[in-house]
Amino acid sequence: MAASSPAPPQMGMEQSPVTDKTIEEAILKLYYDPNPVVKDVAQRWLFAVQRSPEAWQFSWDLLTPTKRPEVQFFGASALCLKISKFWKELPPGQYETLRTKLFEKIFLFSSAEKIVLRRLCVALSAFTLNTAPEVWPDAIAGSIDTFQQVNSSCLDEIQKCTALLEFLTVLPEEFHSSSIPQNRRAAVRSELQKGFHKVISVIQSLLSQPNTPQEIQLLALRCLASWVKLDVPLIELQPIIDKLCQLLQNQDVFDLCVEALIEVVSQPSAHKYPQTIQKLLTHLLQCKEMLDTAVDNRDMDIVEGFCRLMVALGENHTKILISQCEGQGQPAMVEYMKMVVGFSVISGHYPVDETISNIPLVFWYTLQEEILICDKEHFVKCVQFFVPFYYELIEALLVKAQYPSDKEYASWTLEEKEQFRCYRQDISDTFMNCFSLLHEPLLNHIYTILMRIVQSPDTQWQPVESCLFAFQAVAEGGNIRDCPCLNDLFRLLGQVDMSQTYELSATSLNMLGAFSEWLCYNSDSLEVVMPLLLHGIGEPTLCSPASMALKAIATECIFEMAPYTERTLTACQQALTANNLKSKDSIRVMSIVGVVLSTMALQDIMSYLETILQPQLEALEEATKAEATPATKSTIITKLNMLAHLCFSLDVKRDVTMESEDSGNESTKITLPAANGPQPVLLILPSVLPVLEHVLNIWVQDTGVVEAVCTLLQRCSRTLLDDFKPMSSHLCQLISQIYTTIPQTSVLELAEQIFILFGSDNEMKSVVHSLLLQLCNKTFNLLPQGARDSTDVIQGFLAMCRSILRKKTELLLHQDIQLTSLFQCGLIAVQLPEDFTIKTGCSFFVSWINLNSKHPRLQECLRQQGKSLLELVLKAISGAVPRRSVEYMGDVLYAMIKDGSNIFTEWINELLSSPQFELPLVTKDQRINFGQSLYRSKISKRQVQDAVKEFSLMCRGLHGMEYAQ
């Protein structure tokens, strides 16, 4: 790099003088140098220069008309930064000079680059927020007068208006985004609100004059939208609201009028002025002709603007709307509701032909919630008025939810199809919400529509699918018990040709699954439902929705499924034998097998398992013997996951409760037929384990296969619990062999489950202790050289030890366990780069410290190495770890403080006062204050975290900066 270029940070910034020339050269390198390293060095140097005391001076030098726009912009940005973030550097005696120079530069650049003008206006806004009202009273009125009275031959009226409106627009924005001290914020807000009348007067004048240029009108409307966010009394906006409603007819300013009016109706205090809202609604309804014309002409920008505005009014003022559903306001409400419904029935498919019909959906939910909380008398009147519109909405959404023709849908992009899927999900939520208000009549209404469609001679599949989709949505909301039309619905399904298209079949099957709870109390309908589901299980393309539905029904209707047990198991067996299902579908089908088998007698269970399970074990063995390829690996993992889900769902001792229809919420615990015998999973494990060992002998180096094996064994242990004990010794040996060969997290998760289950069992103590010792020694051998290559293993190991500390502490206190090495493992973990590893390490130490006083061995180890831990924690807080991980360090500090030991206080004071503990950006007083803040009496965890966060920002040089937020 040339000698005149900004020096690299590592060379010391002070070596490169801060002059106009060096700054300009650095800016040009930042914008135009092709070398990314040069760009980075320039950016870092400029970043520091902007924050330097010299910025108060060089900013003005860079703001000259002869400089390049990039240089001018940097100067204006530096000025903004100094005024907003480093205000205390400026002596009060220079405030007046600064204000004068700001106005001069704004007037100078009013006819120049707009981006520079805007930054200068932001700088003036920051100055205003720092000085009003104490130093600069009536700042708003004074600023407006200054802009209006400026006498410059270089500026015309349009340029003066542009500069004024730019400043007035950014002022409220800066107020909302800047970090004004809390003790000044109310006074500054009051000053802004006091100047609001003057601002509105300027805006209204500009909007009312017939010869106001369009560009000024647009700026005035942006300015208005900015000031409305200050939550000024709505009644004071009445004249400007009237003017905005007139300007809606002008398409050139339509969008900004809409934005301004949306801000008006969205004010938090707007509900206090119902008459103003009603008057605004009247004005908007008078625009119906304009809206109708836009709909006819497919002018979607105008239609969307009206839609957003009307919906914003409705969402923010539902109380006012429902108060007008009777009396003189009713005609206007009828027109309003028709207009909102109209947005939902707009022609075309979302999102290809239109993107408007999704906007009102939240409004209908908000309105429904407001109706439901009305008092009883008013509720009846609201229902009478609003329910017809809800039915119109339902009919509209049944159309909008329909798929396009197959040919048209095939032409859509993947993104459009995904947007349509999300849109249908929003419609589904709306159906569900409508049921809360309409109840069973809604289902009757949809059923009537469906029946009419099905009986029509020229029925298309799309309307049928849409109705079934609506039934599915309502059912997923739950709470459906008595509705006679549902029995008719399931009978009607027999008349529907499900083979027309995948979408129709899939929606039908998903709908059946959604009614699983209802079918539990209406089991007669299973006679219609089960053939559809079992047929779907046998079709590879439909197996996914069919298996999800069947699994839900089998789980919910565990006893009602008894007449269909054999048919279900036969269909599942045939589907698995065909070997043409996707992996997830095969796994789900096996889970269904387990649920259904759980309801049978033990002898029948074992008979079916022989038929269904044996082929899967044979396939697993064949895949294990085959050449190791990605396809072979996929087969092995799928078969292992199938076995895992079978072992988890096949539980004859599960708790099954039956809620009685006649006894309210009372439920009865029911015992499954095979509950008194051994668990079937325990009986099949002797034939499964040899296969697993064979798999591991060949695939032990593969993380995915080992994880699948461990998941299977975990599922077995969760099902068997204490019954797993006879197999646990063999399993401990298997865990030790795997982990010794190649340490993996999944093995540690399995071991953790064994420790929790049998850690206190006297008969298992020697085996469990031996396993824990082997796991510890193997993990300790990875440290410290292999730590960065094994972060997942270290994280899993500490997670396991944390769980043991909390639940089976005595295991880790065994004399053969090296607590010092375990502590060192934790220290290494909190220095690794992965956030989750740091979090687990800190959580491990918190558990250790919390148990410290109860166990002498833990206490002694902490006394020996606790200072090292504290030093690492403080270094991490000061910048050694990413900011997102600092909170975990605060948890460790709080645990130390809560422990109450004096030694922690000594360590903290010693470390913070030590010159060797380098914190170059923090003063001695700040160190002392931080240490003292941690040991105030009755300090809470939140207070510790706040102190840690603040100190961390100080150490990183970010305290008080916008980036820190």
Side-chain angles (χ1 to χ4, degrees):
M1 188 179 290
S4 59
S5 302
Q10 62 267 26
M11 293 172 57
M13 289 187 215
E14 69 280 354
Q15 296 178 16
S16 186
V18 180
T19 65
D20 293 358
K21 184 179 180 181
T22 55
I23 292 172
E24 288 186 52
E25 289 180 354
I27 292 170
L28 293 179
K29 288 184 182 298
L30 175 64
Y31 278 96
Y32 301 111
D33 197 301
N35 189 337
V37 176
V38 174
K39 282 179 177 288
D40 182 59
V41 170
Q43 183 178 32
R44 290 161 63 190
W45 186 78
L46 289 170
F47 182 84
V49 164
Q50 270 190 320
R51 286 154 177 76
S52 67
E54 292 92 337
W56 288 108
Q57 181 56 45
F58 72 66
S59 297
W60 305 110
D61 300 333
L62 300 179
L63 286 166
T64 55
T66 57
K67 300 287 187 184
R68 296 173 65 107
E70 299 92 334
V71 176
Q72 295 169 348
F73 179 75
F74 180 81
S77 297
L79 203 53
C80 285
L81 182 68
K82 297 303 288 185
I83 295 174
S84 60
K85 302 299 180 185
F86 300 90
W87 179 250
K88 292 182 180 179
E89 293 179 359
L90 191 70
Q94 296 183 22
Y95 291 171
E96 186 68 29
T97 304
L98 176 60
R99 183 175 66 184
T100 302
K101 292 176 74 173
L102 281 169
F103 276 115
E104 289 174 354
K105 291 297 182 183
I106 287 174
F107 297 145
L108 180 63
F109 282 89
S110 293
S111 57
E113 293 287 340
K114 289 290 186 289
I115 190 172
V116 179
L117 172 63
R118 185 172 182 82
R119 294 308 293 167
L120 288 170
C121 289
V122 171
L124 181 58
S125 298
F127 177 89
T128 305
L129 297 177
N130 282 329
T131 56
E134 300 88 350
V135 177
W136 190 9
D138 296 321
I140 310 303
S143 298
I144 293 173
D145 291 341
T146 303
F147 277 102
Q148 291 176 335
Q149 295 169 10
V150 62
N151 189 10
S152 173
S153 58
C154 301
L155 294 178
D156 57 29
E157 290 301 316
I158 291 180
Q159 290 168 343
K160 283 198 290 185
C161 277
T162 299
L164 171 60
L165 291 173
E166 194 69 60
F167 165 67
L168 292 177
T169 300
V170 299
L171 181 57
E173 294 172 357
E174 285 300 298
F175 172 77
H176 291 300
S177 63
S178 61
S179 52
I180 301 172
Q182 203 62 36
N183 59 345
R184 289 195 68 247
R185 196 165 190 84
V188 175
R189 176 185 282 276
S190 177
E191 183 71 11
L192 293 179
Q193 290 174 335
K194 187 173 73 171
F196 174 76
H197 300 286
K198 186 82 172 176
V199 176
I200 287 297
S201 176
V202 171
I203 294 173
Q204 192 167 0
S205 173
L206 292 172
L207 294 178
S208 300
Q209 294 173 13
N211 59 344
T212 301
Q214 182 181 322
E215 61 183 290
I216 298 299
Q217 282 189 325
L218 294 173
L219 287 173
L221 290 169
R222 285 196 186 96
C223 181
L224 174 64
S226 179
W227 277 83
V228 167
K229 293 177 183 178
L230 286 172
D231 198 19
V232 294
L234 212 60
I235 197 168
E236 298 179 12
L237 289 171
Q238 188 62 67
I240 202 77
I241 291 174
D242 295 341
K243 186 62 185 176
L244 289 174
C245 291
Q246 294 174 18
L247 288 173
L248 283 173
Q249 303 291 334
N250 183 349
Q251 292 197 19
D252 293 330
V253 296
F254 175 82
D255 289 340
L256 285 173
C257 285
V258 167
E259 295 302 328
L261 286 170
I262 288 175
E263 292 294 344
V264 168
V265 301
S266 303
Q267 281 192 73
S269 64
H271 68 279
K272 299 177 182 177
Y273 308 95
Q275 292 182 345
T276 304
I277 296 297
Q278 290 166 22
K279 188 175 180 181
L280 171 59
L281 178 58
T282 302
H283 281 310
L284 295 178
L285 292 175
Q286 291 170 357
C287 298
K288 187 176 184 305
E289 185 177 344
M290 179 184 177
L291 174 61
D292 292 341
T293 302
V295 172
D296 293 339
N297 296 334
R298 301 296 290 180
D299 189 342
M300 289 304 173
D301 291 335
I302 298 295
V303 178
E304 182 176 347
F306 272 117
C307 179
R308 291 176 55 241
L309 178 53
M310 300 302 274
V311 168
L313 188 148
E315 287 180 1
N316 287 280
H317 302 286
T318 47
K319 262 190 194 330
I320 296 174
L321 294 184
I322 65 174
S323 69
Q324 298 296 305
C325 68
E326 56 180 334
Q328 295 180 348
Q330 191 179 75
M333 276 306 304
V334 170
E335 289 302 313
Y336 174 78
M337 294 303 295
K338 285 181 178 178
M339 191 178 286
V340 176
V341 171
F343 296 127
S344 296
V345 300
I346 195 162
S347 61
H349 286 288
Y350 182 97
V352 176
D353 303 315
E354 57 89 10
T355 55
I356 294 169
S357 57
N358 65 318
I359 298 174
L361 295 180
V362 176
F363 160 75
W364 293 101
Y365 171 73
T366 308
L367 178 63
Q368 163 218 311
E369 289 293 291
E370 197 66 49
I371 293 172
L372 291 174
I373 62 174
C374 286
D375 60 77
K376 188 174 182 180
E377 182 180 350
H378 193 49
F379 173 78
V380 173
K381 294 176 181 177
C382 286
V383 168
Q384 290 174 346
F385 179 80
F386 287 107
V387 161
F389 295 108
Y390 271 92
Y391 280 117
E392 286 185 42
L393 171 69
I394 294 298
E395 293 180 12
L397 295 182
L398 286 173
V399 174
K400 298 300 293 185
Q402 291 177 21
Y403 281 90
S405 66
D406 295 341
K407 183 178 180 181
E408 182 181 348
Y409 190 63
S411 69
W412 286 13
T413 65
L414 290 176
E415 183 180 356
E416 288 169 341
K417 290 179 179 179
E418 176 61 16
Q419 288 177 350
F420 183 62
R421 185 194 66 79
C422 295
Y423 174 62
R424 276 172 52 100
Q425 185 57 53
D426 291 338
I427 290 177
S428 172
D429 294 339
T430 304
F431 284 140
M432 190 188 307
N433 295 329
C434 288
F435 182 76
S436 302
L437 179 66
L438 305 177
H439 302 295
E440 280 72 19
L442 169 62
L443 298 177
N444 293 327
H445 189 70
I446 300 174
Y447 174 73
T448 302
I449 295 172
L450 176 62
M451 184 171 62
R452 189 168 61 245
I453 294 169
V454 171
Q455 293 175 351
S456 174
D458 55 347
T459 299
Q460 298 288 319
W461 68 265
Q462 288 91 341
V464 176
E465 189 275 341
S466 181
C467 290
L468 297 179
F469 176 72
F471 276 113
Q472 175 193 341
V474 174
E476 286 174 345
N479 211 17
I480 299 175
R481 285 290 176 86
D482 301 319
C483 188
C485 77
L486 293 179
N487 289 303
D488 298 331
L489 167 66
F490 290 119
R491 283 192 290 271
L492 186 64
L493 283 178
Q495 302 178 36
V496 178
D497 181 7
M498 296 295 178
S499 64
Q500 293 184 62
T501 179
Y502 168 80
E503 285 80 9
L504 176 59
S505 299
T507 300
S508 303
L509 295 169
N510 288 329
M511 183 201 72
L512 296 178
F515 277 103
S516 58
E517 184 181 352
W518 181 86
L519 287 167
C520 186
Y521 300 97
N522 299 270
S523 55
D524 291 345
S525 293
L526 285 172
E527 191 63 41
V528 179
V529 169
M530 290 306 297
L532 294 173
L533 294 176
L534 298 180
H535 171 75
I537 288 289
E539 295 287 337
T541 56
L542 295 177
C543 187
S544 184
S547 59
M548 285 191 285
L550 183 55
K551 183 179 179 182
I553 291 172
T555 304
E556 195 71 44
C557 310
I558 193 165
F559 293 108
E560 290 74 17
M561 283 281 293
Y564 312 99
T565 297
E566 291 186 13
R567 279 186 276 174
T568 302
L569 291 172
T570 300
C572 290
Q573 181 184 352
Q574 291 172 349
L576 293 172
T577 303
N579 200 30
N580 56 5
L581 301 181
K582 296 177 183 177
S583 294
K584 289 184 178 180
D585 296 337
S586 299
I587 293 167
R588 200 178 298 112
V589 169
M590 193 63 96
S591 186
I592 294 168
V593 169
V595 173
V596 175
L597 286 177
S598 299
T599 65
M600 302 173 69
L602 183 61
Q603 183 178 353
D604 296 329
I605 294 174
M606 299 311 297
S607 175
Y608 272 106
L609 282 176
E610 179 69 24
T611 307
I612 295 174
L613 181 61
Q614 194 58 39
Q616 303 305 321
L617 290 175
E618 291 173 359
L620 178 58
E621 285 193 284
E622 288 177 14
T624 305
K625 295 173 183 176
E627 183 183 355
T629 64
T632 305
K633 175 184 172 180
S634 177
T635 300
I636 291 173
I637 291 177
T638 298
K639 297 301 180 185
L640 289 171
N641 286 333
M642 288 170 65
L643 293 174
H645 280 73
L646 173 67
C647 292
F648 186 68
S649 59
L650 178 52
D651 183 1
V652 298
K653 297 185 179 180
R654 71 175 70 187
D655 292 331
V656 180
T657 56
M658 177 67 74
E659 187 178 320
S660 172
E661 281 189 278
D662 303 324
S663 58
N665 293 325
E666 291 185 15
S667 56
T668 306
K669 187 174 180 180
I670 300 177
T671 303
L672 293 173
N676 294 326
Q679 283 274 29
V681 172
L682 184 63
L683 299 179
I684 64 174
L685 267 180
S687 60
V688 171
L689 282 177
V691 179
L692 298 184
E693 290 178 346
H694 187 201
V695 170
L696 289 171
N697 286 337
I698 299 173
W699 290 86
V700 71
Q701 299 286 341
D702 190 284
T703 304
V705 173
V706 172
E707 183 177 350
V709 171
C710 291
T711 299
L712 167 56
L713 294 171
Q714 277 184 285
R715 296 287 177 89
C716 291
S717 66
R718 285 175 185 168
T719 298
L720 296 174
L721 297 176
D722 291 341
D723 293 340
F724 197 56
K725 184 177 176 180
M727 313 296 299
S728 56
S729 295
H730 185 64
L731 181 58
C732 286
Q733 294 175 10
L734 190 62
I735 291 172
S736 176
Q737 290 171 9
I738 300 172
Y739 197 75
T740 301
T741 304
I742 177 168
Q744 295 186 35
T745 305
S746 55
V747 182
L748 294 169
E749 291 171 354
L750 175 59
E752 177 184 333
Q753 205 159 312
I754 298 299
F755 294 139
I756 302 305
L757 278 175
F758 304 111
S760 301
D761 191 307
N762 289 328
E763 296 177 9
M764 293 292 300
K765 267 189 177 180
S766 60
V767 176
V768 169
H769 277 304
S770 175
L771 174 61
L772 180 58
L773 183 61
Q774 291 176 57
L775 296 179
C776 287
N777 290 339
K778 179 62 179 179
T779 306
F780 297 156
N781 288 337
L782 297 174
L783 308 174
Q785 290 83 2
R788 285 188 174 268
D789 297 328
S790 309
T791 53
D792 58 333
V793 174
I794 293 173
Q795 183 271 322
F797 176 73
L798 289 176
M800 179 191 75
C801 291
R802 175 189 60 196
S803 183
I804 297 173
L805 268 174
R806 292 173 178 175
K807 300 173 183 178
K808 302 290 179 181
T809 313
E810 66 278 1
L811 285 179
L812 281 177
L813 297 179
H814 192 274
Q815 60 183 4
D816 293 334
I817 302 294
Q818 302 173 34
L819 289 183
T820 302
S821 299
L822 179 58
F823 201 95
Q824 285 294 324
C825 181
L827 293 178
I828 291 171
V830 297
Q831 298 176 76
L832 292 172
E834 285 78 6
D835 180 71
F836 197 55
T837 305
I838 296 172
K839 181 179 181 180
T840 304
C842 290
S843 179
F844 165 75
F845 281 124
V846 168
S847 298
W848 186 306
I849 296 167
N850 289 340
L851 293 166
N852 175 50
S853 59
K854 299 178 183 177
H855 303 284
R857 284 199 70 202
L858 294 179
Q859 194 172 43
E860 180 58 30
C861 185
L862 188 61
R863 284 185 175 277
Q864 292 174 3
Q865 304 201 61
K867 187 176 179 181
S868 299
L869 169 62
L870 183 57
E871 184 174 358
L872 281 179
V873 167
L874 292 175
K875 285 182 178 178
I877 291 170
S878 63
V881 301
R883 284 171 56 197
R884 64 179 179 271
S885 302
V886 168
E887 183 180 349
Y888 315 141
M889 304 298 163
D891 292 339
V892 178
L893 272 183
Y894 179 69
M896 290 181 172
I897 294 166
K898 195 173 69 170
D899 183 77
S901 175
N902 292 332
I903 194 168
F904 292 132
T905 312
E906 295 172 7
W907 288 342
I908 288 179
N909 292 334
E910 181 182 339
L911 288 168
L912 289 175
S913 60
S914 171
Q916 283 75 35
F917 191 69
E918 296 184 4
L919 297 174
L921 299 180
V922 178
T923 65
K924 182 179 179 181
D925 288 341
Q926 287 172 328
R927 293 186 184 211
I928 294 171
N929 290 337
F930 173 62
Q932 290 176 344
S933 68
L934 296 177
Y935 283 96
R936 289 178 298 188
S937 60
K938 299 182 179 179
I939 190 170
S940 67
K941 183 177 181 179
R942 183 73 266 155
Q943 289 171 317
V944 171
Q945 289 287 8
D946 290 342
V948 166
K949 180 180 178 181
E950 184 178 16
F951 188 67
S952 178
L953 293 175
M954 290 178 183
C955 294
R956 297 163 194 256
L958 298 175
H959 190 258
M961 292 176 58
E962 187 175 348
Y963 177 71
Q965 301 174 8

